[in-house]
């Protein structure tokens, strides 16, 4: 076993005087507010969003559906969990690949629990394509936990509208600042956060234990 260090940036935004009320998603998409019955849907979107990204190396639970489900339960049980900053993004538009699950092979549904909220192609139910969660930390900062958009739905501005919706929730909770951490190699996410008004405050390092072959 050995240790690997991942450089990450802490970024913050001042919420005072900002108007996040016009955080409507594009036509054909809609926000779903937090409900415990949607915890599996959040976990599925989180898994599909992060399983092939650098963050799955930094946080191995993101590369595994059961890990994502466990993480969602942990986040939702935190004392500072904010329902008003936790959102699922859904659409009735079909991506053609059921958010990438088809790429897992003929037995793809075996990775998901009975009663999973991801449904077969042609279902009248919505397709879940984005997730974000927020908590209030011990310093009364809004803390973004994970912002994820499934690969087939990227480039449509969905990440921006989800983040704005979460920031509006922090404001409604009476918080004046919000923060997040992002891996330094995630250039696309860093550009998004800067465009929305986040600034880099400090650099931190995440230590990950890895097995050497």
């Amino acid at each position: 076993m050995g240790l690997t260090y991942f450089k990450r940036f802490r970024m913050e935004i001042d919420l005072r005087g900002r108007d996040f009320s016009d955080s409507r998603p594009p036509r054909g998409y809609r926000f779903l507010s937090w409900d415990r019955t949607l915890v599996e849907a959040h976990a599925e979107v989180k898994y599909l969003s992060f399983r092939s990204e650098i963050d799955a190396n930094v946080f191995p639970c993101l590369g595994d559906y059961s890990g994502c489900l466990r993480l969602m339960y942990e986040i939702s049980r935190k004392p500072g969990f904010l329902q008003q900053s936790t959102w699922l993004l859904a659409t009735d538009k079909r991506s053609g690949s059921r958010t990438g699950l088809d790429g897992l092979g003929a037995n793809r549904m075996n990775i998901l629990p009975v009663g999973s909220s991801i449904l077969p192609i042609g279902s009248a139910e919505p397709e879940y394509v984005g997730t974000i969660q927020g908590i209030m930390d011990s310093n009364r900062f809004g803390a973004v936990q994970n912002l994820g958009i499934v690969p087939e739905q990227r480039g449509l501005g969905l990440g921006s509208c989800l983040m704005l919706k979460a920031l509006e929730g922090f404001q409604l909770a009476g918080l004046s600042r919000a923060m997040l951490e992002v891996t330094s190699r995630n250039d696309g996410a860093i550009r998004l956060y800067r465009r929305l008004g986040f600034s880099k405050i400090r650099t931190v390092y995440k230590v990950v234990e890895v097995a050497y072959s």
Side-chain angles (χ1 to χ4, degrees):
M1 301 295 289
L3 299 179
T4 296
Y5 295 81
F6 288 94
K7 181 193 291 187
R8 289 170 60 80
F9 299 140
R10 172 168 173 151
M11 304 184 75
E12 295 182 6
I13 185 172
D14 190 339
L15 303 176
R16 294 170 294 187
R18 300 287 301 270
D19 182 9
F20 302 112
S21 60
D22 190 22
S23 55
R24 291 172 294 183
R27 185 184 181 92
Y29 296 83
R30 63 183 183 274
F31 295 120
L32 298 178
S33 59
W34 169 252
D35 188 289
R36 288 194 176 276
T37 63
L38 293 174
V39 67
E40 289 184 0
H42 278 277
E44 290 161 5
V45 174
K46 191 190 297 287
Y47 166 67
L48 293 170
S49 300
F50 290 105
R51 60 178 174 170
S52 300
E53 305 298 328
I54 182 67
D55 282 347
N57 296 320
V58 183
F59 301 98
C61 65
L62 294 176
D64 177 76
Y65 171 75
S66 61
C68 289
L69 183 60
R70 184 172 61 253
L71 179 59
M72 273 305 306
Y73 277 117
E74 290 174 358
I75 291 172
S76 66
R77 291 166 179 163
K78 286 180 179 290
F81 177 66
L82 293 177
Q83 296 187 22
Q84 58 267 56
S85 289
T86 300
W87 295 90
L88 197 63
L89 194 62
T91 181
D92 294 322
K93 298 179 180 181
R94 294 295 155 202
S95 65
S97 63
R98 273 320 287 165
T99 57
L101 281 177
D102 286 7
L104 296 178
N107 295 322
R108 59 191 173 88
M109 295 307 292
N110 290 339
I111 69 166
L112 301 177
V114 174
S116 169
S117 55
I118 285 188
L119 301 171
I121 297 173
S123 169
E125 293 297 323
E127 179 177 346
Y128 304 120
V129 299
T131 178
I132 194 167
Q133 309 94 52
I135 65 170
M136 179 179 66
D137 70 11
S138 59
N139 297 314
R140 290 192 59 81
F141 273 62
V144 177
Q145 299 303 282
N146 298 112
L147 168 62
I149 303 294
V150 299
E152 295 78 13
Q153 297 282 346
R154 293 173 186 169
L156 303 175
L158 304 181
S160 295
C161 69
L162 263 178
M163 179 62 77
L164 292 173
K165 191 68 173 173
L167 295 178
E168 180 186 24
F170 291 140
Q171 276 187 332
L172 293 174
L175 307 183
S176 61
R177 297 189 70 83
M179 58 79 64
L180 55 82
E181 286 189 5
V182 57
T183 304
S184 64
R185 291 162 53 186
N186 196 340
D187 296 331
I190 293 170
R191 286 195 298 270
L192 167 64
Y193 302 148
R194 283 178 171 159
R195 187 168 69 249
L196 295 178
F198 283 85
S199 299
K200 185 175 73 173
I201 301 300
R202 67 174 63 94
T203 299
V204 297
Y205 290 89
K206 169 69 173 173
V207 181
V208 179
E209 190 173 55
V210 295
Y212 294 133
S213 58

